[in-house]
Amino acid sequence: MKSKTGFFLTIEGIEGVGKSTAVKFIQDYLTAAHIDFITTREPGGTEIAERIRQILLTPNPEEVIVPETELLLMFACRAQHIAHKIEPALAAGKWVISDRFVDASYAYQGGGRQLNLDQIKTLDKWVVKTHPDLTILLDAPPALGLARAKHRGEHDRIEQEKVDFFERVREAYLQRAKADPTRFHIIDATQPLTTVHAEIKRSLDEAQRIRGSRQ
Amino acid sequence: MKSKTGFFLTIEGIEGVGKSTAVKFIQDYLTAAHIDFITTREPGGTEIAERIRQILLTPNPEEVIVPETELLLMFACRAQHIAHKIEPALAAGKWVISDRFVDASYAYQGGGRQLNLDQIKTLDKWVVKTHPDLTILLDAPPALGLARAKHRGEHDRIEQEKVDFFERVREAYLQRAKADPTRFHIIDATQPLTTVHAEIKRSLDEAQRIRGSRQ
């Protein structure tokens, strides 16, 4: 379903492109506009989904997580997230801002891990009935993003991947964005922060127009 | 793959039919026959799979596990279990005795939860490349099994289901067994324990013949 009242906005991008700063900017914008919203993230967003996130992101050298497990856990997380957080908030007329959503599975498990795309599409169809109204893709070369992410200290299991993994993730994100230019706004994250914010603001202004036109 | 050296035996059945007692009997038989074996269980069997098992079985009234999540977590568990425990043991020539395996997904998520059978078949095809050589199905009416299970105290999230849920699980197990009579040995678990054990012994004697014929 597309909610008639709420609005579902997702932020996508590889490590270090500034998703957290973007989410903060969006929160300030929505607060100033007196819009009722929640922010959430994937993998995670509910108590059970956060427990699955821990399994997914904790490095475990003694028992490698096989690619199928990673993919199934991501979608198991997502099923909880949609049922217990995203859909109730949208049904209550709220905006939902999610730091990553299903596009990340296409980018990370599809592009990064090079898993069978048909498997991802199948799981998407089974699990995801509620789709984002708008997706902001923050795009930057992995080398830049990873250098920024490095400053934050310890890397999780997925952040420990090599640069070519993130090159494939980025490429998969860009392909997905180009295939659906109405939903995706690609923002060059290498620009100065004020420019990035101005572009996010334009996206949010448009989001308000889209939402307004549905009422 | 069918292992040329090890032997993969699974024990299936609803709560309280005596699976644990059967596994103990099998362990004693294999030990006496000087056969190298491991025993394991589903959901679980590896460190990560056991963590997923906790999520699956812990009752959580505040956040219901949606059926798709349950199904995906079961197969995520299974992927780890196969890669890190079952296949290495079979490759080393050991017998693997598993308290439940993929048939349980058809019985519990298919029969019990009445999830789409095609989804289960699809996940089975993606995840399960190693199939049991022999499966012992301990069969008894749910009322009897649940009464036995009750004596063990606290019920986990799935054991808290009602009798009609387990009637459907039992029926799905029986259908699956009838569709593959070569692999499945159905044992009437309402018989006296000595009779049940005699039938398990016959199954194990046959397992040894099957294994012997492959060498």
Side-chain angles (χ1 to χ4, degrees), chain B residues 28-182:
Chain B
D28 291 344
Y29 174 103
L30 295 174
T31 303
H34 305 290
I35 290 171
D36 199 5
F37 69 93
I38 62 161
T39 54
T40 184
R41 67 169 181 185
E42 287 210 347
T46 73
E47 191 198 318
I48 287 173
E50 292 286 333
R51 286 176 67 187
I52 301 172
R53 176 190 176 93
Q54 284 306 313
I55 296 175
L56 274 164
L57 298 188
T58 307
N60 191 334
E62 264 134 65
E63 185 184 338
V64 171
I65 291 186
V66 302
E68 285 76 15
T69 303
E70 180 174 303
L71 182 65
L72 297 174
L73 290 179
M74 286 289 180
F75 275 93
C77 257
R78 188 162 293 137
Q80 289 302 112
H81 190 208
I82 293 170
H84 291 285
K85 193 157 190 181
I86 296 173
E87 289 184 344
L90 290 175
K94 293 178 188 171
W95 286 43
V96 174
I97 314 304
S98 187
D99 181 344
R100 295 214 176 99
F101 191 60
V102 70
D103 297 302
S105 285
Y106 287 91
Y108 281 82
Q109 283 73 50
R113 299 258 180 256
Q114 302 180 287
L115 284 178
N116 188 331
L117 215 60
D118 286 336
Q119 289 187 355
I120 302 174
K121 283 182 191 164
T122 300
L123 291 167
D124 184 357
K125 210 172 131 189
W126 290 352
V127 168
V128 184
K129 313 288 184 204
T130 297
H131 302 276
D133 295 295
L134 181 70
T135 298
I136 294 174
L137 172 60
L138 295 168
D139 178 60
L144 186 75
L146 291 174
R148 282 191 199 163
K150 216 172 181 176
H151 287 293
R152 295 200 305 251
E154 288 276 303
H155 284 201
D156 70 34
R157 192 181 65 86
I158 290 175
E159 286 170 349
Q160 287 173 354
E161 289 294 333
K162 302 277 182 295
V163 170
D164 64 335
F165 175 90
F166 292 105
E167 290 284 5
R168 291 196 302 273
V169 174
R170 181 195 188 191
E171 195 45 48
Y173 265 137
L174 287 172
Q175 277 180 21
R176 226 171 135 67
K178 280 165 192 165
D180 191 355
T182 308

